[in-house]
Amino acid sequence: MAGGLTLGLLAGCSASGRPEAASPTPKASSASPSATASASVSAPSPSVSSGVDACQLLDKATITALMGGTYTKFNQVEKVGLPGCEWSNDGSVLSVTSVPADQWAASMPSTVAMTRIAAKGNQEVLDRLDRTDALFTGAMTADQACAAFSTMIQWQGLAADEWRIVNYAPDLDNPTLVVASGCRGQRYSTVQLAKPVVAKSEDQTKAMFDALDAADAAGRG
């Protein structure tokens, strides 16, 4: 799960914009994900909590709305050291995690290594991974981790005051994956939806942002 949740962030290119406004369309490689929207931090950052059950981060109404119907099963998962939860039905998988940002930062070297394999020689993505490697060279505080996240989304063209982003993958024309991720107040959260066909729209982007905000709030307890 964690590799997929970070793939858009590591391998994507972005156009900045608010979820309620139309975003300009960037040029995107068909071999790498593309992001279409972000939202800036405008509210105070609440405190960090740990040990929250990942399967309680989203409510049933949010899960059902994102998946377009009922889900048949859910599982607690852990990959590259990050606890999360996955819900699935016929052809769709929804995943979520929300952890202290320093825990996310500690997982990044493994995630970068996984993404290098997925990049399959895409030099643009590999160059970005080299830069990411340089950000995560040692132990980080949670504040430092969120600063690194901010740097990563600025590489995708977003402003320095942005704290969250939505990426569509593998390209803007025919996405099958949409990922919302954010880091603020010492906490990193992310929501991923994989479907045979993902509708790239303002409504979809807003729904992902809303789910991300809910996971971020629930993760703080």
Side-chain angles (χ1 to χ4, degrees), residues 45-90:
S45 299
S47 61
V48 175
S49 171
S50 60
V52 178
D53 181 354
C55 292
Q56 302 300 315
L57 292 172
L58 299 177
D59 62 26
K60 185 175 181 179
T62 299
I63 298 165
T64 301
L66 287 174
M67 299 188 74
T70 59
Y71 54 91
T72 56
K73 62 180 179 179
F74 68 93
N75 297 290
Q76 290 185 329
V77 294
E78 182 172 332
K79 294 185 179 180
V80 292
L82 300 183
C85 191
E86 292 183 346
W87 297 265
S88 60
N89 61 21
D90 293 337

Side-chain angles (χ1 to χ4, degrees), residues 105-106 109 133-141 144:
D133 262 341
L135 287 177
F136 298 93
T137 56
M140 281 185 167
T141 66
Q144 289 172 332

Side-chain angles (χ1 to χ4, degrees), residues 81-218:
L82 300 183
C85 191
E86 292 183 346
W87 297 265
S88 60
N89 61 21
D90 293 337
S92 300
V93 179
L94 177 67
S95 307
V96 63
T97 192
S98 183
V99 295
D102 54 333
Q103 185 177 349
W104 165 73
S107 77
M108 283 301 292
S110 296
T111 301
V112 168
M114 292 166 56
T115 310
R116 284 190 187 280
I117 297 172
K120 297 180 179 178
N122 184 316
Q123 193 58 50
E124 180 181 354
V125 174
L126 291 173
D127 289 344
R128 188 173 296 143
L129 292 173
D130 287 341
R131 290 191 293 172
T132 303
D133 262 341
L135 287 177
F136 298 93
T137 56
M140 281 185 167
T141 66
D143 287 331
Q144 289 172 332
C146 282
F149 179 91
S150 177
T151 296
M152 292 170 68
I153 65 175
Q154 286 178 61
W155 290 342
Q156 297 192 51
L158 304 188
D161 63 348
E162 306 285 354
W163 73 273
R164 60 182 185 173
I165 188 169
V166 166
N167 291 82
Y168 289 86
D171 58 61
L172 291 171
D173 295 326
N174 299 290
T176 57
L177 177 70
V178 57
V179 181
S181 52
C183 196
R184 66 167 177 172
Q186 304 183 342
R187 190 163 198 89
Y188 172 82
S189 302
T190 188
V191 180
Q192 169 185 299
L193 177 64
K195 301 176 71 172
V197 178
V198 171
K200 187 186 77 65
S201 65
E202 290 182 30
D203 286 345
Q204 180 70 76
T205 297
K206 182 180 184 303
M208 293 300 293
F209 276 136
D210 288 347
L212 179 69
D213 289 347
D216 176 74

